[in-house]
């Protein structure tokens, strides 16, 4: 078992050298379109795309720019992304103790991972994580906008929304915990058709719909589980960007859709009341 899971897609999905990677990420984050308005609430959760940076980096950036003000407070990132190479049942944690990128290593929050492992749908799979890009591509953005943080990375396979939601609820935490769901939208439709499909998908995500399918979003499974939690907890959804590879990389004949969303919690008193309601016995009057 490797102690550190090495970067698998550095040099392909994103630059493989630290200087170039850092410059690219800072460039995306500095784009005027990614600057939040003053007074924007800090998100509890994000949904961001996971394609190569030339395609989806500009779309992911405004979501990561929104959490920059939480640089010193976020200490744990619960990261969920779909498996693309190794089919699995449930949700898989890595066997490694840290993930590496050209910008350095990020440690696994072993205490939080152990709590998740108590659930029947959570397992450990080195194979599920070895070549998976949906989680890895988020790390350089997180390493740039946050300070000292650990991750709890879940490769999500065949699971119900309730199974995913149970894992997210267990690790929800407070302001120290950020939830990041990794997903692209539609795949390989002509430009105009993709725009129509993706607008419908974005509307469903904004409504916290937990019944998306994998034609709408490759990360439909983690999105649906998160939507259950977000709806119960009264989160407010905000669409930050919605484009596709035809907008960012030019070819409009067969495009992949990308979107970035931020989700904010209700005011503290309202959040506490919602949490009490979530945790009360089912037969309570």
């Amino acid at each position: 078992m490797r102690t550190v899971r090495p970067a698998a897609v550095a040099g392909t999905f994103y630059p493989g050298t630290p200087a170039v990677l850092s410059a690219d990420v800072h460039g995306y984050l500095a784009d005027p379109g990614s600057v939040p308005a003053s007074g924007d609430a800090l998100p509890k959760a994000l949904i961001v795309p996971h394609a190569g940076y030339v395609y989806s980096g500009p779309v992911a950036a405004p979501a990561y720019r929104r959490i920059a003000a939480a640089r010193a407070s976020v200490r744990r990132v619960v990261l969920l992304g779909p498996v693309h190479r190794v089919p699995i049942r449930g949700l898989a944690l890595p066997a490694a103790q840290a993930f590496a990128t050209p910008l350095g290593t990020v440690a696994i929050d072993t205490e939080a991972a152990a709590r998740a492992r108590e659930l029947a749908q959570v397992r450990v799979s080195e194979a599920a994580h070895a070549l998976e890009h949906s989680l890895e591509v988020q790390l350089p953005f997180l390493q740039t906008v946050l300070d000292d943080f650990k991750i709890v990375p879940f490769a999500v396979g065949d699971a119900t929304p309730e199974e995913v939601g149970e894992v997210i609820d267990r690790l929800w935490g407070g302001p120290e915990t950020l939830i990041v769901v990794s997903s692209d939208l539609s795949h390989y439709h002509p430009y105009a058709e993709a725009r129509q499909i993706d607008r419908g998908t974005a509307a469903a995500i904004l409504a916290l719909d937990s019944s998306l399918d994998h034609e709408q979003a490759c990360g439909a499974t983690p999105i649906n589980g998160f939507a259950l939690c977000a709806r119960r907890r009264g989160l407010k959804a905000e669409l930050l960007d919605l484009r596709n590879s035809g907008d960012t990389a030019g070819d409009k004949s067969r495009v992949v859709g990308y979107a970035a969303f931020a989700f904010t919690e209700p005011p503290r008193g309202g959040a506490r009341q919602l949490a009490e309601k979530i945790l009360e016995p089912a037969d309570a009057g």
Side-chain angles (χ1 to χ4, degrees):
M1 182 189 75
R2 288 174 171 160
T3 302
V4 177
R5 185 265 195 195
V9 296
T12 53
F13 277 65
Y14 59 84
T17 58
V20 177
L21 176 57
S22 180
D24 277 10
V25 173
H26 279 96
Y28 292 131
L29 293 169
D31 185 281
S34 70
V35 177
S38 61
D40 279 339
L42 287 173
K44 174 65 178 179
L46 306 174
I47 294 177
V48 283
H50 55 231
Y53 281 10
V54 67
Y55 299 103
S56 69
V59 180
Y64 284 113
R65 184 68 178 84
R66 280 286 296 273
I67 64 169
R71 172 180 290 276
S73 58
V74 171
R75 291 290 175 260
R76 175 190 301 123
V77 179
V78 179
L79 185 56
L80 304 102
V83 291
H84 288 83
R85 296 175 181 271
V86 178
I88 60 167
R89 172 73 185 96
L91 297 84
L93 288 162
Q97 300 299 301
F99 274 38
T101 80
L103 300 184
T105 60
V106 182
I108 306 297
D109 186 330
T110 54
E111 185 275 332
R115 285 193 284 125
R117 283 286 319 276
E118 295 170 357
L119 299 173
Q121 65 270 37
V122 178
R123 54 179 291 194
V124 171
S125 173
E126 186 173 9
H129 284 273
L131 298 175
E132 182 53 57
H133 65 273
S134 68
L135 306 175
E136 180 183 328
V137 299
Q138 311 306 337
L139 296 181
F141 277 102
L142 290 165
Q143 288 171 297
T144 302
V145 299
L146 298 179
D147 284 338
D148 182 21
F149 71 99
K150 296 181 179 181
I151 56 172
V152 194
F154 293 97
V156 182
D158 179 19
T160 66
E162 291 76 16
E163 287 174 328
V164 176
E166 185 179 19
V167 173
I168 295 173
D169 272 334
R170 176 161 289 209
L171 302 182
W172 191 267
E176 81 292 338
T177 301
L178 173 73
I179 298 158
V180 176
V181 179
S182 176
S183 181
D184 295 337
L185 300 185
S186 66
H187 283 56
Y188 308 132
H189 298 284
Y191 182 84
E193 181 181 349
R195 280 173 55 86
Q196 182 177 1
I197 294 170
D198 293 340
R199 281 196 295 265
T201 302
I205 292 172
L206 290 170
L208 303 180
D209 186 344
S210 58
S211 62
L212 296 185
D213 62 43
H214 293 94
E215 294 299 314
Q216 295 171 285
C218 59
T221 302
I223 289 174
N224 288 341
F226 169 72
L228 286 179
C229 299
R231 190 164 60 244
R232 287 196 300 262
R233 294 173 179 272
L235 267 61
K236 176 185 175 183
E238 179 185 356
L239 177 63
L240 303 176
D241 200 353
L242 176 63
R243 286 185 275 173
N244 62 51
S245 56
D247 300 308
T248 57
D251 181 6
K252 296 187 177 182
S253 60
R254 294 173 74 245
V255 304
V256 177
Y258 313 120
F261 300 84
F263 301 82
T264 54
E265 292 183 295
R268 186 171 297 273
R272 182 166 54 248
Q273 292 170 6
L274 281 165
E276 290 170 354
K277 184 172 181 61
I278 292 166
L279 296 173
E280 69 185 6
D283 60 350

